Amino acid sequence: TAGNPISFTQAMTLDASGLKIGTSGYEIDPVGARFGYYTGGAWPTTYLQAPAGGGGIEFWNASTSVAGKFDSSGNLLVGTTSAVEKLTLTGRAFLADQAAPATPTGGGVIYVEAGALKYKGSSGTVTILAAA
């Protein structure tokens, strides 16, 4: 408003270490080709990074190194660095208990209902893979 003092908010900082959006927010590091949530001070513990030499995008967790990645073929790798199929998981997967899904139009869905592991195919048939 005319006659009132002007106040400024520092929304972004660009310095030699990269671009920080807000004083606590997202940070882009053009040198390391990574993007993460900035809390001030050291680089965030979780972030996305383009691996050296290209080849997809990695999900990093500073305590566990590479947590997962999409490779250049579009495969999702979790806990591993080499694809066997479109989704390659090394370790365990957790499926939360939920109601039966709608019938898929193609393929099928694996889910857990009332503690039982089930598969529902495009015909609508539910197969119990492991009882509760």
Side-chain angles (χ1 to χ4, degrees):
T1 307
N4 289 336
I6 298 173
S7 63
F8 293 95
T9 301
Q10 183 175 346
M12 290 188 247
T13 303
L14 178 60
D15 61 23
S17 66
L19 173 65
K20 296 169 187 70
I21 303 172
T23 56
S24 179
Y26 297 100
E27 178 174 350
I28 300 168
D29 174 8
V31 176
R34 52 190 175 181
F35 173 81
Y37 191 79
Y38 179 70
T39 56
W43 182 255
T45 57
T46 56
Y47 54 89
L48 299 175
Q49 176 173 302
I57 189 84
E58 298 172 336
F59 310 99
W60 276 79
N61 179 318
S63 63
T64 60
S65 299
V66 177
K69 72 181 275 184
F70 281 103
D71 68 12
S72 58
S73 298
N75 300 313
L76 175 58
L77 290 67
V78 180
T80 184
T81 55
S82 59
V84 176
E85 288 292 336
K86 284 294 183 188
L87 169 62
T88 302
L89 169 70
T90 297
R92 293 181 281 257
F94 175 80
L95 299 174
D97 200 66
Q98 62 182 26
T103 299
T105 56
V109 179
I110 294 176
Y111 64 102
V112 172
E113 182 181 32
L117 180 62
K118 299 180 178 184
Y119 171 83
K120 187 173 188 178
S122 58
S123 68
T125 302
V126 174
T127 303
I128 297 174
L129 303 174

